[in-house]
Amino acid sequence: RAKAGGGQQSAFFDAAMGQVVSERFAVEQDLRRGLAAQELRLYLQPQVNRQGHMVSAEALVRWQHPDKGLVPPGTFIGVAEESDLITEVGDWVLAQVCAHLGQLHTQGRRLPIAVNVSPRQFHKADFVPGVLHALEQAGAQPEDLVLEITEGVVIEQVDTVVRKMSQLTQRGVRFSIDDFGTGYSSLAYLKRLPIHELKIDKSFVQDAPHDPSDAALVEAILSVAGHLRLKVVAEGVETQEQADFLNQRANVIHQGYLFGRPAPAAEVLATWSGTRSDGASAA
Ligand code: C2E
Ligand code: MG
Ligand code: MG
Ligand code: MG
């Protein structure tokens, strides 16, 4: 708290803080209302292989607000994460994704879908049974669900984190580390976690073709992933140059505007020619 400036400055500071707090509270209340009014929307963004075929997708939530229009998650996930609301948002997204996976499964089609899991959501006591219940309820195959966690999830209680992850991976669910390289954790934990994929953060991907430091970071991540036999998804691929940079170095799955923006889930699935459950491409 800024005391040195005397009464006036401190009063200004308090007022500014108060405004931030009340704005967060307003968003929280509005989100509570929006959830009840079923204003959340499930968007999917394609993840494509070297040939440009969609082989999986990431679920990205949107909020169809009556006054504000389509609200991106950056403006409300943080608020939800500070309260119990993240559980409701997370449960909703998981249920939606499992419903799509279950439906695809009955059609004999297969498209693994990745879901973002926030730290608070992961650390809840009933996270593991909740995921398994959502899968069962929808008749979805655990192998089709990818859970994206960030390094932030892993900072504390590593033993508990590993135990929870293992309970899910034993059932077939897979884990991915999102925004890899932007967190504060050490490389050592990679060895301990039952993960199958790393997602290279878009800040590295986008600058790699021109910035030698970003290029070196991307190459280091590809090298680590190769040695640990982890799949790599590159996030934020916008240009052919960025795609080429990656393709020249490794077998990478691409996710970015160059191949497809996030779009309503039903739309993405309807326009997808499909991969059969046996993995063969129908495209
Ligand atoms: P993220 O998980 O790292 O998702 C990738 C973000 O990059 C998405 O932003 C996506 O639209 C954006 N993106 C993809 N390709 C490109 C590209 O080529 N260029 C640029 N500039 N951006 C690209 P979005 O949808 O706004 O989501 C932002 C963040 O919100 C996500 O980052 C994730 O952390 C969080 N989020 C989204 N949906 C959920 C959810 O259901 N649950 C939780 N807990 N968090 C979510
Ligand atoms: Mg993600
Ligand atoms: Mg990411
Ligand atoms: Mg990100």
Side-chain angles (χ1 to χ4, degrees):
R1 163 106 157 235
K3 259 251 156 86
Q8 217 176 334
Q9 198 174 332
S10 154
F12 174 77
F13 187 73
D14 284 347
M17 273 305 288
Q19 195 175 340
V20 169
V21 170
S22 69
E23 267 167 26
R24 288 189 80 89
F25 185 70
V27 172
E28 191 185 315
Q29 290 305 301
D30 199 20
L31 182 57
R32 218 174 275 283
R33 181 202 54 73
L35 265 160
Q38 304 193 318
E39 290 171 4
L40 293 190
R41 299 287 178 267
L42 187 78
Y43 274 50
L44 290 179
Q45 185 177 29
Q47 297 178 332
V48 309
N49 64 12
R50 194 183 278 269
Q51 287 75 37
H53 292 142
M54 179 163 72
V55 291
S56 48
E58 177 176 9
L60 296 160
V61 69
R62 302 288 183 257
W63 179 8
Q64 186 64 61
H65 194 279
D67 309 321
K68 298 176 182 161
L70 197 65
V71 181
T75 58
F76 65 91
I77 285 291
V79 173
E81 176 71 9
E82 306 249 300
S83 71
D84 57 310
L85 277 177
I86 194 64
T87 312
E88 284 179 57
V89 174
D91 287 351
W92 183 86
V93 172
L94 198 58
Q96 292 286 310
V97 166
C98 287
H100 282 295
L101 291 176
Q103 203 176 356
L104 287 168
H105 183 61
T106 61
Q107 297 167 353
R109 301 202 296 164
R110 170 157 205 246
L111 186 78
I113 299 179
V115 171
N116 292 283
V117 176
S118 81
R120 193 181 181 117
Q121 194 186 347
F122 183 93
H123 286 293
K124 285 210 74 170
D126 60 354
F127 176 69
V128 171
V131 171
L132 294 174
H133 178 75
L135 286 163
E136 273 164 34
Q137 192 84 356
Q141 302 293 102
E143 292 77 12
D144 293 342
L145 181 66
V146 178
L147 298 178
E148 293 190 3
I149 58 173
T150 55
E151 293 162 269
V153 166
V154 191
I155 298 179
E156 7 162 31
Q157 308 173 359
V158 184
D159 293 331
T160 310
V161 170
V162 170
R163 183 171 46 78
K164 283 176 132 176
M165 290 175 75
S166 302
Q167 286 168 349
L168 287 167
T169 56
Q170 276 160 18
R171 303 290 287 268
V173 174
R174 290 174 296 163
F175 278 91
S176 172
I177 304 285
D178 202 356
D179 307 331
F180 185 70
T182 61
Y184 290 97
S185 42
S186 81
L187 280 175
Y189 78 111
L190 274 185
K191 180 174 87 169
R192 290 194 54 197
L193 301 178
I195 53 172
H196 92 290
E197 176 186 287
L198 297 180
K199 294 191 80 174
I200 311 181
D201 191 68
K202 54 178 169 289
S203 59
F204 305 138
V205 169
Q206 294 182 340
D207 295 336
H210 299 289
D211 185 325
S213 329
D214 288 290
L217 276 169
V218 169
E219 281 167 353
I221 293 172
L222 293 175
S223 166
V224 167
H227 287 293
L228 296 178
R229 300 188 196 290
L230 299 172
K231 211 174 117 184
V232 177
V233 175
E235 183 178 274
V237 181
E238 292 183 353
T239 68
Q240 191 58 51
E241 199 182 17
Q242 292 159 357
D244 291 343
F245 178 93
L246 295 158
N247 285 333
Q248 279 155 15
R249 286 163 178 78
N251 198 9
V252 172
I253 301 296
H254 301 263
Q255 179 181 349
Y257 295 169
L258 180 65
F259 303 101
R261 287 181 180 254
E267 225 169 82
V268 172
L269 294 173
T271 52
W272 171 56
S273 49
T275 308
R276 294 198 310 268
S277 297
D278 57 16
S281 177

